[in-house]
Amino acid sequence: MVKICPGACLVLSDMSLSEKMNAYFRLTFLAAVLIAEICAQPSTASDFILSSCRKSQIQLDLPAEHVLGKQVRFSAIDQDGGVALITDGLATQCGYKISQDDWGNVVFRGSLYSCYVQIQNDTYFTVQVKIEISSRPDMVGAEVYIKTVSCPYYWKPREIFCETNYMEVSVRRKIPLIAEGIFRDEPEDWAAAFDEAVVGLMSIWQVVFHKSSTQKISMLIDAAQERGYGVNTTDARTLLRSSYNATEAVFQKVDAVTFSTLRATLFYKQRWFIFLIDNAVACPVDDVKFSPGWITWTIPKNISPLLVGAKVLQKSSSQFGLDLLDLTNADILSGNYDVVDGAQATTVRIPMGADGGYYKSHVVNQEHGVTYSINPFLENNWVDDGWGVTKYTIVKDITTPFEKRPPIITNDTVSSTLIFSVTIGNFLPDVYLVNVTIGGTTFPVPEAIKTGYNVTSRIHPNGTSEFVLKVPFTDPRVSFKSLTDGLLFTLNVTFGFNIIPHDETFISSTVVQCFVPKPTAYCEQENGMLSATIGNLDPAWNVYIKDVPATTSNGMLASGNATYSKVQIPAQSDLVAHEAVGGSVAATIPINIKDGSGSTIYSIVAICDVPPIPVVCQPNGTIQVTVKKVADIRDMDLSQLVLRDRSCKPNQVDSNNAYFTFFADSCQTLRTFQQGFIIYENQVTYSLSGRILFIMNVTCNYTTNGTVVIEDYKPYDNPTPSAQSIMASLDLVLRLSKDDSYTDFYENMDYPVVKYLRDPLYFEVELLYSSDSRLELFLDTCWATASPEMGSLPSWPIVVNSCEYGEPYQTIFHQVTADSRVQFPSHFKRFEVKTFSFMNGDQPYTGSMFFHCDVIICDASNLSSDPVCTGIGSCIPARQRLGRSVNSNEDNIRSISSGAVYLLAPRAESYMQY
Ligand SMILES: *[C@@H]1O[C@H](CO)[C@@H](O)[C@H](O)[C@H]1NC(C)=O
Ligand SMILES: *[C@@H]1O[C@H](CO)[C@@H](O)[C@H](O)[C@H]1NC(C)=O
Ligand SMILES: *[C@@H]1O[C@H](CO)[C@@H](O)[C@H](O)[C@H]1NC(C)=O
Ligand SMILES: *[C@@H]1O[C@H](CO)[C@@H](O)[C@H](O)[C@H]1NC(C)=O
Ligand SMILES: *[C@@H]1O[C@H](CO)[C@@H](O)[C@H](O)[C@H]1NC(C)=O
Ligand SMILES: *[C@@H]1O[C@H](CO)[C@@H](O)[C@H](O)[C@H]1NC(C)=O
Ligand SMILES: *[C@@H]1O[C@H](CO)[C@@H](O)[C@H](O)[C@H]1NC(C)=O
């Protein structure tokens, strides 16, 4: 198979030599016709081996994907089919170089004057190489490829090539004019004297190395080759090749740069002449220096060992390039290279990271770092009076020293997300995250992702990458410590990395901590519900009130999002506790925050922003009561509040609160025993002119072990004078009877009814329009006022707490019996009022008077069914009620008022009569 690639380079491969030669000749004649066709041929197995002609070299490129991890062997094939394995020594001696970069790409280079090259007219060179690739060190089963590459090249009179593993100089032999008379007379003598010179048509016969001006080492050509030197002649040139450390080479400084130099005089014969030619080669060895970010390469201009006895006449400019390919000035500029072609030296500065080179990650002493590699060359040309034109080329494989690059671990955790976020970077693309060890457990990356950890890689525009690991705080492998004001979460993570292609491994560990403040709870009260907003919550946590989970289905979870929850419970719930907070007592919600497994992470108490709880039962038996001013009672004088023992008054009063403190065995506190509890009860009342406007029952339940249970305290804030005025849908009537027969009543038009003070007033209250015999009407409170408004002052009590009231002349209840008018006696109540009992100062009141009653409707057959009615009706004879219990639902209390009654003062004597 034959293939022609653009660029003056002929590739012949996988053919026998004769085939190739045939092909070559065919091509020579038909090239113009065939090129297009040949290039369209299907690719062959060895097509992955790219060949090219570069300067005075042929190059084969074997991409890493075909050779990585395999043994690759090159052999040179000569024109007779002889095969020579290219070892390191042979490479140096014969002008080959085999290298592999960090990625595994293999590059083979051969000098156009390498040992087994086929040369035509010193301008056309064909190198044939056998390539064996095997995965086994013993090369068994190797794939074998033959590559033949031909390159034309036009040599300068002297060319020096400093390859990394050898130095080579080729010099054009001047075909001297045969000097008249020299040796002509006695040719046989020369032939007889130098047998060796007769062996070939043209050959080198002897080499004299000039180690110094005094030390010269002379040897026959075979001996020189045995010592590793490459010495040969071609049609028009001589060649000398040497390693840098050859015995006959010397190290020598030129402008502070050390060169390995070798100078030799070759004796060769041509026809029957012996000629001498001086060969000198010098290549720098310490010309590359590293500084942070830069590679500096300095090559002196006048390399004295190459200019023995000569003077430089003209310097032509330098050519800089990479991988033996020229860079244009524009390339140099855009690559930020700095090439200074000075009079004394050419200095090249290469920025680390420049295009054309590459970074590579490595691990040295378990530490991660990078190197940067680049393969530049520099070509200088000059003209001197000894050698004519010299082309001087140096190629370098530069790798910067290993530079530690400890991975940078960034803690990107945002504590409110409750997810650890750790970034590690920056890495070259050859670094792979293999595994992560979280809290001691190692997960290969795919497994870590399956386990729920988020592992992602982020690739920057410049090709570097970083890895991001996310681990929720609630992960079982995250440890946490409870501190007084929150939790400290700790993530121990180790990242395990692998560097391709050589499986170098390293690890990087870190400990990331994040403090999360304790959840906060803010509590509010509205409409008898306490609601607590709990912040700093993890969505994976569950909120409990005491031991009851707060859920939407049980109504305790009101709302929330990822980081907060709002819970609510009725203020009277058993789950609400009470705690003394800053001198007063507050309702508190005990909140437990548990993780998925049910273990408590936090116990916090939401202190509710509600008015102080009015009753505190201290374990020592002290009862503290706070009574807030009742807004409905105008001008309420808190100092007038009393307990059952009316001598027990508030210990302290401020503008809004009255505070009682008393012992359970004082102030007429009632004591009962019930189911293991001792129940103490008392009552705070507020009376005005004998009328009770406010009652608050105080109960303390003590268990025998001294624990306090508080229940059933509720301000009794009704009735108050401001009880809402007569309702629009009046279903009650308060009538004034003309006498105690309750048969004749004053009509609307009779008002105001005028009475003398000594006249009793007979009132009747009726529930209208009802035929429900089970209902019974009770009078809760009746009172008189001087003006029509129920709440106006002065006011005088008539019925208090459902019982007759009045000193010294009590209100009298009258029996109601059925008659033609009274169908349901229980729908009526009658009472008699002594008008002169209303005092105005020390005088009985005279003038307009209005009468009012608060009325309660109860179930006559079962009074205890309604707490308001319980115990009612014990003020005999009228089956009035005795008192009221607590927790009343006030809906069945109605108010009613009479029309005006005008009281006239009787004569003084008649007044005294009573
Ligand atoms: C010298 O060059 C000739 C022609 O290229 C070649 O055949 C021969 O093998 C070479 N000798 C050495 C020792 O390299
Ligand atoms: C050899 O090369 C020289 C210079 O390129 C050329 O002048 C000459 O004709 C060539 N000879 C042959 C036989 O190709
Ligand atoms: C030159 O160096 C190479 C590699 O370091 C070594 O194998 C060789 O023996 C050395 N040659 C001489 C002549 O010192
Ligand atoms: C990982 O995190 C990224 C960025 O936050 C997100 O887009 C992606 O969905 C996450 N993947 C998993 C599996 O959680
Ligand atoms: C690559 O880009 C990243 C992010 O912009 C930057 O941090 C890093 O230093 C860059 N690396 C190189 C070698 O330029
Ligand atoms: C994790 O990866 C590192 C680096 O590649 C390796 O050295 C280590 O053995 C791995 N650990 C496990 C448990 O596989
Ligand atoms: C990680 O970040 C969090 C949140 O910004 C911060 O609270 C914590 O202190 C950091 N931890 C470490 C170890 O840097």
Side-chain angles (χ1 to χ4, degrees), residues 29 65 124 223 238 288 316 335 344 393 406 494 556 598 677 720 747 753 763 891 896 901:
F29 299 113
E65 68 220 71
Y124 199 81
T238 60
V288 176
S316 58
Q344 292 306 309
T393 307
T494 301
M556 287 186 180
F677 288 102
T720 68
E747 301 295 328
V753 175
F763 287 101
D891 281 351
I896 186 171
V901 177

mmCIF file with all atom_site columns, all heavy atoms in Angstrom, residues 29 65 124 223 238 288 316 335 344 393 406 494 556 598 677 720 747 753 763 891 896 901:
data_model
loop_
_atom_site.group_PDB
_atom_site.id
_atom_site.type_symbol
_atom_site.label_atom_id
_atom_site.label_alt_id
_atom_site.label_comp_id
_atom_site.label_asym_id
_atom_site.label_entity_id
_atom_site.label_seq_id
_atom_site.pdbx_PDB_ins_code
_atom_site.Cartn_x
_atom_site.Cartn_y
_atom_site.Cartn_z
_atom_site.occupancy
_atom_site.B_iso_or_equiv
_atom_site.pdbx_formal_charge
_atom_site.auth_seq_id
_atom_site.auth_comp_id
_atom_site.auth_asym_id
_atom_site.auth_atom_id
_atom_site.pdbx_PDB_model_num
ATOM 1   N N   . PHE A 1 29  ? 7.855    8.464  -11.711 1.00 0.00 ? 29  PHE A N   1
ATOM 2   C CA  . PHE A 1 29  ? 7.423    8.837  -13.063 1.00 0.00 ? 29  PHE A CA  1
ATOM 3   C C   . PHE A 1 29  ? 5.979    9.265  -13.136 1.00 0.00 ? 29  PHE A C   1
ATOM 4   O O   . PHE A 1 29  ? 5.593    10.017 -14.000 1.00 0.00 ? 29  PHE A O   1
ATOM 5   C CB  . PHE A 1 29  ? 7.689    7.662  -14.018 1.00 0.00 ? 29  PHE A CB  1
ATOM 6   C CG  . PHE A 1 29  ? 9.136    7.296  -14.092 1.00 0.00 ? 29  PHE A CG  1
ATOM 7   C CD1 . PHE A 1 29  ? 9.571    6.072  -13.606 1.00 0.00 ? 29  PHE A CD1 1
ATOM 8   C CD2 . PHE A 1 29  ? 10.071   8.197  -14.603 1.00 0.00 ? 29  PHE A CD2 1
ATOM 9   C CE1 . PHE A 1 29  ? 10.926   5.752  -13.648 1.00 0.00 ? 29  PHE A CE1 1
ATOM 10  C CE2 . PHE A 1 29  ? 11.416   7.876  -14.643 1.00 0.00 ? 29  PHE A CE2 1
ATOM 11  C CZ  . PHE A 1 29  ? 11.856   6.655  -14.160 1.00 0.00 ? 29  PHE A CZ  1
ATOM 12  N N   . GLU A 1 65  ? -2.902   6.175  22.268  1.00 0.00 ? 65  GLU A N   1
ATOM 13  C CA  . GLU A 1 65  ? -3.980   5.183  22.351  1.00 0.00 ? 65  GLU A CA  1
ATOM 14  C C   . GLU A 1 65  ? -3.581   3.829  21.784  1.00 0.00 ? 65  GLU A C   1
ATOM 15  O O   . GLU A 1 65  ? -4.179   2.822  22.103  1.00 0.00 ? 65  GLU A O   1
ATOM 16  C CB  . GLU A 1 65  ? -5.220   5.722  21.651  1.00 0.00 ? 65  GLU A CB  1
ATOM 17  C CG  . GLU A 1 65  ? -5.064   5.845  20.144  1.00 0.00 ? 65  GLU A CG  1
ATOM 18  C CD  . GLU A 1 65  ? -5.696   7.114  19.584  1.00 0.00 ? 65  GLU A CD  1
ATOM 19  O OE1 . GLU A 1 65  ? -5.153   8.206  19.838  1.00 0.00 ? 65  GLU A OE1 1
ATOM 20  O OE2 . GLU A 1 65  ? -6.725   6.993  18.905  1.00 0.00 ? 65  GLU A OE2 1
ATOM 21  N N   . TYR A 1 124 ? 18.288   12.900 -1.242  1.00 0.00 ? 124 TYR A N   1
ATOM 22  C CA  . TYR A 1 124 ? 17.046   12.163 -1.102  1.00 0.00 ? 124 TYR A CA  1
ATOM 23  C C   . TYR A 1 124 ? 17.313   10.970 -0.201  1.00 0.00 ? 124 TYR A C   1
ATOM 24  O O   . TYR A 1 124 ? 18.173   10.143 -0.474  1.00 0.00 ? 124 TYR A O   1
ATOM 25  C CB  . TYR A 1 124 ? 16.562   11.715 -2.479  1.00 0.00 ? 124 TYR A CB  1
ATOM 26  C CG  . TYR A 1 124 ? 15.106   11.365 -2.450  1.00 0.00 ? 124 TYR A CG  1
ATOM 27  C CD1 . TYR A 1 124 ? 14.141   12.376 -2.518  1.00 0.00 ? 124 TYR A CD1 1
ATOM 28  C CD2 . TYR A 1 124 ? 14.689   10.042 -2.322  1.00 0.00 ? 124 TYR A CD2 1
ATOM 29  C CE1 . TYR A 1 124 ? 12.795   12.061 -2.471  1.00 0.00 ? 124 TYR A CE1 1
ATOM 30  C CE2 . TYR A 1 124 ? 13.352   9.731  -2.274  1.00 0.00 ? 124 TYR A CE2 1
ATOM 31  C CZ  . TYR A 1 124 ? 12.406   10.747 -2.353  1.00 0.00 ? 124 TYR A CZ  1
ATOM 32  O OH  . TYR A 1 124 ? 11.086   10.444 -2.310  1.00 0.00 ? 124 TYR A OH  1
ATOM 33  N N   . ALA A 1 223 ? 37.838   1.063  15.428  1.00 0.00 ? 223 ALA A N   1
ATOM 34  C CA  . ALA A 1 223 ? 37.970   1.304  16.859  1.00 0.00 ? 223 ALA A CA  1
ATOM 35  C C   . ALA A 1 223 ? 37.065   2.441  17.291  1.00 0.00 ? 223 ALA A C   1
ATOM 36  O O   . ALA A 1 223 ? 36.422   2.389  18.336  1.00 0.00 ? 223 ALA A O   1
ATOM 37  C CB  . ALA A 1 223 ? 39.424   1.643  17.197  1.00 0.00 ? 223 ALA A CB  1
ATOM 38  N N   . THR A 1 238 ? 31.163   14.154 4.951   1.00 0.00 ? 238 THR A N   1
ATOM 39  C CA  . THR A 1 238 ? 31.625   13.296 6.031   1.00 0.00 ? 238 THR A CA  1
ATOM 40  C C   . THR A 1 238 ? 30.713   13.529 7.217   1.00 0.00 ? 238 THR A C   1
ATOM 41  O O   . THR A 1 238 ? 30.076   14.587 7.342   1.00 0.00 ? 238 THR A O   1
ATOM 42  C CB  . THR A 1 238 ? 33.061   13.634 6.469   1.00 0.00 ? 238 THR A CB  1
ATOM 43  O OG1 . THR A 1 238 ? 33.066   14.986 6.914   1.00 0.00 ? 238 THR A OG1 1
ATOM 44  C CG2 . THR A 1 238 ? 34.021   13.445 5.318   1.00 0.00 ? 238 THR A CG2 1
ATOM 45  N N   . VAL A 1 288 ? 19.653   25.581 29.764  1.00 0.00 ? 288 VAL A N   1
ATOM 46  C CA  . VAL A 1 288 ? 18.259   25.862 30.136  1.00 0.00 ? 288 VAL A CA  1
ATOM 47  C C   . VAL A 1 288 ? 18.185   26.139 31.625  1.00 0.00 ? 288 VAL A C   1
ATOM 48  O O   . VAL A 1 288 ? 18.729   25.386 32.437  1.00 0.00 ? 288 VAL A O   1
ATOM 49  C CB  . VAL A 1 288 ? 17.353   24.666 29.764  1.00 0.00 ? 288 VAL A CB  1
ATOM 50  C CG1 . VAL A 1 288 ? 15.934   24.915 30.226  1.00 0.00 ? 288 VAL A CG1 1
ATOM 51  C CG2 . VAL A 1 288 ? 17.393   24.416 28.260  1.00 0.00 ? 288 VAL A CG2 1
ATOM 52  N N   . SER A 1 316 ? 23.236   35.155 10.289  1.00 0.00 ? 316 SER A N   1
ATOM 53  C CA  . SER A 1 316 ? 21.854   35.281 9.826   1.00 0.00 ? 316 SER A CA  1
ATOM 54  C C   . SER A 1 316 ? 20.942   35.028 11.022  1.00 0.00 ? 316 SER A C   1
ATOM 55  O O   . SER A 1 316 ? 21.366   34.517 12.043  1.00 0.00 ? 316 SER A O   1
ATOM 56  C CB  . SER A 1 316 ? 21.575   34.307 8.692   1.00 0.00 ? 316 SER A CB  1
ATOM 57  O OG  . SER A 1 316 ? 21.828   32.996 9.145   1.00 0.00 ? 316 SER A OG  1
ATOM 58  N N   . GLY A 1 335 ? 2.195    33.305 21.184  1.00 0.00 ? 335 GLY A N   1
ATOM 59  C CA  . GLY A 1 335 ? 2.494    32.328 22.229  1.00 0.00 ? 335 GLY A CA  1
ATOM 60  C C   . GLY A 1 335 ? 3.209    32.927 23.420  1.00 0.00 ? 335 GLY A C   1
ATOM 61  O O   . GLY A 1 335 ? 3.579    32.197 24.328  1.00 0.00 ? 335 GLY A O   1
ATOM 62  N N   . GLN A 1 344 ? 25.653   38.510 21.150  1.00 0.00 ? 344 GLN A N   1
ATOM 63  C CA  . GLN A 1 344 ? 26.449   37.494 21.829  1.00 0.00 ? 344 GLN A CA  1
ATOM 64  C C   . GLN A 1 344 ? 25.717   36.172 21.972  1.00 0.00 ? 344 GLN A C   1
ATOM 65  O O   . GLN A 1 344 ? 26.341   35.127 22.028  1.00 0.00 ? 344 GLN A O   1
ATOM 66  C CB  . GLN A 1 344 ? 26.834   37.997 23.234  1.00 0.00 ? 344 GLN A CB  1
ATOM 67  C CG  . GLN A 1 344 ? 27.812   39.159 23.225  1.00 0.00 ? 344 GLN A CG  1
ATOM 68  C CD  . GLN A 1 344 ? 29.056   38.819 22.400  1.00 0.00 ? 344 GLN A CD  1
ATOM 69  O OE1 . GLN A 1 344 ? 29.686   37.766 22.590  1.00 0.00 ? 344 GLN A OE1 1
ATOM 70  N NE2 . GLN A 1 344 ? 29.402   39.697 21.457  1.00 0.00 ? 344 GLN A NE2 1
ATOM 71  N N   . THR A 1 393 ? 21.762   23.522 14.827  1.00 0.00 ? 393 THR A N   1
ATOM 72  C CA  . THR A 1 393 ? 20.407   23.263 15.346  1.00 0.00 ? 393 THR A CA  1
ATOM 73  C C   . THR A 1 393 ? 20.502   22.549 16.686  1.00 0.00 ? 393 THR A C   1
ATOM 74  O O   . THR A 1 393 ? 21.229   21.557 16.812  1.00 0.00 ? 393 THR A O   1
ATOM 75  C CB  . THR A 1 393 ? 19.618   22.386 14.357  1.00 0.00 ? 393 THR A CB  1
ATOM 76  O OG1 . THR A 1 393 ? 19.663   23.001 13.071  1.00 0.00 ? 393 THR A OG1 1
ATOM 77  C CG2 . THR A 1 393 ? 18.170   22.216 14.800  1.00 0.00 ? 393 THR A CG2 1
ATOM 78  N N   . PRO A 1 406 ? -0.197   21.468 46.039  1.00 0.00 ? 406 PRO A N   1
ATOM 79  C CA  . PRO A 1 406 ? -1.136   20.834 46.976  1.00 0.00 ? 406 PRO A CA  1
ATOM 80  C C   . PRO A 1 406 ? -2.558   21.213 46.562  1.00 0.00 ? 406 PRO A C   1
ATOM 81  O O   . PRO A 1 406 ? -2.819   22.390 46.265  1.00 0.00 ? 406 PRO A O   1
ATOM 82  C CB  . PRO A 1 406 ? -0.785   21.447 48.330  1.00 0.00 ? 406 PRO A CB  1
ATOM 83  C CG  . PRO A 1 406 ? 0.516    22.147 48.130  1.00 0.00 ? 406 PRO A CG  1
ATOM 84  C CD  . PRO A 1 406 ? 0.634    22.469 46.680  1.00 0.00 ? 406 PRO A CD  1
ATOM 85  N N   . THR A 1 494 ? -11.779  12.383 52.781  1.00 0.00 ? 494 THR A N   1
ATOM 86  C CA  . THR A 1 494 ? -10.526  12.132 52.074  1.00 0.00 ? 494 THR A CA  1
ATOM 87  C C   . THR A 1 494 ? -10.877  11.849 50.626  1.00 0.00 ? 494 THR A C   1
ATOM 88  O O   . THR A 1 494 ? -11.738  11.023 50.342  1.00 0.00 ? 494 THR A O   1
ATOM 89  C CB  . THR A 1 494 ? -9.794   10.926 52.683  1.00 0.00 ? 494 THR A CB  1
ATOM 90  O OG1 . THR A 1 494 ? -9.539   11.204 54.049  1.00 0.00 ? 494 THR A OG1 1
ATOM 91  C CG2 . THR A 1 494 ? -8.480   10.670 51.962  1.00 0.00 ? 494 THR A CG2 1
ATOM 92  N N   . MET A 1 556 ? -51.033  20.265 63.967  1.00 0.00 ? 556 MET A N   1
ATOM 93  C CA  . MET A 1 556 ? -49.995  20.944 64.736  1.00 0.00 ? 556 MET A CA  1
ATOM 94  C C   . MET A 1 556 ? -48.946  21.600 63.855  1.00 0.00 ? 556 MET A C   1
ATOM 95  O O   . MET A 1 556 ? -48.227  22.466 64.296  1.00 0.00 ? 556 MET A O   1
ATOM 96  C CB  . MET A 1 556 ? -49.319  19.941 65.662  1.00 0.00 ? 556 MET A CB  1
ATOM 97  C CG  . MET A 1 556 ? -50.196  19.558 66.830  1.00 0.00 ? 556 MET A CG  1
ATOM 98  S SD  . MET A 1 556 ? -49.253  18.533 67.930  1.00 0.00 ? 556 MET A SD  1
ATOM 99  C CE  . MET A 1 556 ? -50.459  18.224 69.201  1.00 0.00 ? 556 MET A CE  1
ATOM 100 N N   . GLY A 1 598 ? -35.328  9.043  65.062  1.00 0.00 ? 598 GLY A N   1
ATOM 101 C CA  . GLY A 1 598 ? -36.138  9.248  66.254  1.00 0.00 ? 598 GLY A CA  1
ATOM 102 C C   . GLY A 1 598 ? -35.346  9.696  67.466  1.00 0.00 ? 598 GLY A C   1
ATOM 103 O O   . GLY A 1 598 ? -35.910  9.860  68.546  1.00 0.00 ? 598 GLY A O   1
ATOM 104 N N   . PHE A 1 677 ? -55.382  14.639 94.312  1.00 0.00 ? 677 PHE A N   1
ATOM 105 C CA  . PHE A 1 677 ? -55.046  16.056 94.241  1.00 0.00 ? 677 PHE A CA  1
ATOM 106 C C   . PHE A 1 677 ? -55.614  16.778 95.460  1.00 0.00 ? 677 PHE A C   1
ATOM 107 O O   . PHE A 1 677 ? -56.665  16.402 95.977  1.00 0.00 ? 677 PHE A O   1
ATOM 108 C CB  . PHE A 1 677 ? -55.669  16.700 93.000  1.00 0.00 ? 677 PHE A CB  1
ATOM 109 C CG  . PHE A 1 677 ? -55.008  16.287 91.733  1.00 0.00 ? 677 PHE A CG  1
ATOM 110 C CD1 . PHE A 1 677 ? -55.593  15.335 90.902  1.00 0.00 ? 677 PHE A CD1 1
ATOM 111 C CD2 . PHE A 1 677 ? -53.797  16.846 91.359  1.00 0.00 ? 677 PHE A CD2 1
ATOM 112 C CE1 . PHE A 1 677 ? -54.989  14.952 89.739  1.00 0.00 ? 677 PHE A CE1 1
ATOM 113 C CE2 . PHE A 1 677 ? -53.193  16.472 90.176  1.00 0.00 ? 677 PHE A CE2 1
ATOM 114 C CZ  . PHE A 1 677 ? -53.782  15.525 89.368  1.00 0.00 ? 677 PHE A CZ  1
ATOM 115 N N   . THR A 1 720 ? -70.262  42.509 83.218  1.00 0.00 ? 720 THR A N   1
ATOM 116 C CA  . THR A 1 720 ? -69.751  43.843 83.511  1.00 0.00 ? 720 THR A CA  1
ATOM 117 C C   . THR A 1 720 ? -70.883  44.788 83.151  1.00 0.00 ? 720 THR A C   1
ATOM 118 O O   . THR A 1 720 ? -71.794  44.419 82.412  1.00 0.00 ? 720 THR A O   1
ATOM 119 C CB  . THR A 1 720 ? -68.527  44.175 82.656  1.00 0.00 ? 720 THR A CB  1
ATOM 120 O OG1 . THR A 1 720 ? -68.962  44.297 81.323  1.00 0.00 ? 720 THR A OG1 1
ATOM 121 C CG2 . THR A 1 720 ? -67.457  43.131 82.768  1.00 0.00 ? 720 THR A CG2 1
ATOM 122 N N   . GLU A 1 747 ? -98.140  49.829 80.944  1.00 0.00 ? 747 GLU A N   1
ATOM 123 C CA  . GLU A 1 747 ? -97.914  49.731 79.507  1.00 0.00 ? 747 GLU A CA  1
ATOM 124 C C   . GLU A 1 747 ? -96.826  50.718 79.108  1.00 0.00 ? 747 GLU A C   1
ATOM 125 O O   . GLU A 1 747 ? -96.471  51.606 79.874  1.00 0.00 ? 747 GLU A O   1
ATOM 126 C CB  . GLU A 1 747 ? -99.199  50.043 78.743  1.00 0.00 ? 747 GLU A CB  1
ATOM 127 C CG  . GLU A 1 747 ? -100.368 49.138 79.063  1.00 0.00 ? 747 GLU A CG  1
ATOM 128 C CD  . GLU A 1 747 ? -100.133 47.689 78.650  1.00 0.00 ? 747 GLU A CD  1
ATOM 129 O OE1 . GLU A 1 747 ? -99.419  47.456 77.646  1.00 0.00 ? 747 GLU A OE1 1
ATOM 130 O OE2 . GLU A 1 747 ? -100.618 46.778 79.362  1.00 0.00 ? 747 GLU A OE2 1
ATOM 131 N N   . VAL A 1 753 ? -93.015  55.763 85.036  1.00 0.00 ? 753 VAL A N   1
ATOM 132 C CA  . VAL A 1 753 ? -93.942  55.440 86.131  1.00 0.00 ? 753 VAL A CA  1
ATOM 133 C C   . VAL A 1 753 ? -93.456  56.167 87.378  1.00 0.00 ? 753 VAL A C   1
ATOM 134 O O   . VAL A 1 753 ? -92.271  56.110 87.712  1.00 0.00 ? 753 VAL A O   1
ATOM 135 C CB  . VAL A 1 753 ? -93.960  53.917 86.370  1.00 0.00 ? 753 VAL A CB  1
ATOM 136 C CG1 . VAL A 1 753 ? -94.817  53.567 87.569  1.00 0.00 ? 753 VAL A CG1 1
ATOM 137 C CG2 . VAL A 1 753 ? -94.453  53.197 85.119  1.00 0.00 ? 753 VAL A CG2 1
ATOM 138 N N   . PHE A 1 763 ? -91.484  43.554 89.672  1.00 0.00 ? 763 PHE A N   1
ATOM 139 C CA  . PHE A 1 763 ? -90.973  43.298 88.322  1.00 0.00 ? 763 PHE A CA  1
ATOM 140 C C   . PHE A 1 763 ? -91.220  41.853 87.914  1.00 0.00 ? 763 PHE A C   1
ATOM 141 O O   . PHE A 1 763 ? -91.193  40.938 88.744  1.00 0.00 ? 763 PHE A O   1
ATOM 142 C CB  . PHE A 1 763 ? -89.471  43.584 88.238  1.00 0.00 ? 763 PHE A CB  1
ATOM 143 C CG  . PHE A 1 763 ? -89.125  45.046 88.262  1.00 0.00 ? 763 PHE A CG  1
ATOM 144 C CD1 . PHE A 1 763 ? -88.672  45.660 89.433  1.00 0.00 ? 763 PHE A CD1 1
ATOM 145 C CD2 . PHE A 1 763 ? -89.272  45.835 87.124  1.00 0.00 ? 763 PHE A CD2 1
ATOM 146 C CE1 . PHE A 1 763 ? -88.366  47.014 89.437  1.00 0.00 ? 763 PHE A CE1 1
ATOM 147 C CE2 . PHE A 1 763 ? -88.968  47.185 87.127  1.00 0.00 ? 763 PHE A CE2 1
ATOM 148 C CZ  . PHE A 1 763 ? -88.515  47.780 88.292  1.00 0.00 ? 763 PHE A CZ  1
ATOM 149 N N   . ASP A 1 891 ? -73.005  32.720 75.895  1.00 0.00 ? 891 ASP A N   1
ATOM 150 C CA  . ASP A 1 891 ? -73.985  32.952 74.837  1.00 0.00 ? 891 ASP A CA  1
ATOM 151 C C   . ASP A 1 891 ? -75.422  32.980 75.339  1.00 0.00 ? 891 ASP A C   1
ATOM 152 O O   . ASP A 1 891 ? -76.283  33.621 74.762  1.00 0.00 ? 891 ASP A O   1
ATOM 153 C CB  . ASP A 1 891 ? -73.866  31.876 73.762  1.00 0.00 ? 891 ASP A CB  1
ATOM 154 C CG  . ASP A 1 891 ? -72.710  32.173 72.836  1.00 0.00 ? 891 ASP A CG  1
ATOM 155 O OD1 . ASP A 1 891 ? -72.141  33.299 72.956  1.00 0.00 ? 891 ASP A OD1 1
ATOM 156 O OD2 . ASP A 1 891 ? -72.362  31.320 72.030  1.00 0.00 ? 891 ASP A OD2 1
ATOM 157 N N   . ILE A 1 896 ? -81.606  42.794 79.688  1.00 0.00 ? 896 ILE A N   1
ATOM 158 C CA  . ILE A 1 896 ? -82.918  43.420 79.455  1.00 0.00 ? 896 ILE A CA  1
ATOM 159 C C   . ILE A 1 896 ? -83.042  44.636 80.365  1.00 0.00 ? 896 ILE A C   1
ATOM 160 O O   . ILE A 1 896 ? -82.472  44.662 81.459  1.00 0.00 ? 896 ILE A O   1
ATOM 161 C CB  . ILE A 1 896 ? -84.056  42.401 79.691  1.00 0.00 ? 896 ILE A CB  1
ATOM 162 C CG1 . ILE A 1 896 ? -85.381  43.009 79.306  1.00 0.00 ? 896 ILE A CG1 1
ATOM 163 C CG2 . ILE A 1 896 ? -84.047  41.874 81.113  1.00 0.00 ? 896 ILE A CG2 1
ATOM 164 C CD1 . ILE A 1 896 ? -86.502  42.012 79.300  1.00 0.00 ? 896 ILE A CD1 1
ATOM 165 N N   . VAL A 1 901 ? -88.514  54.735 85.822  1.00 0.00 ? 901 VAL A N   1
ATOM 166 C CA  . VAL A 1 901 ? -89.415  54.869 86.988  1.00 0.00 ? 901 VAL A CA  1
ATOM 167 C C   . VAL A 1 901 ? -88.961  56.123 87.712  1.00 0.00 ? 901 VAL A C   1
ATOM 168 O O   . VAL A 1 901 ? -87.761  56.297 87.944  1.00 0.00 ? 901 VAL A O   1
ATOM 169 C CB  . VAL A 1 901 ? -89.291  53.632 87.910  1.00 0.00 ? 901 VAL A CB  1
ATOM 170 C CG1 . VAL A 1 901 ? -90.154  53.805 89.143  1.00 0.00 ? 901 VAL A CG1 1
ATOM 171 C CG2 . VAL A 1 901 ? -89.657  52.367 87.152  1.00 0.00 ? 901 VAL A CG2 1
#
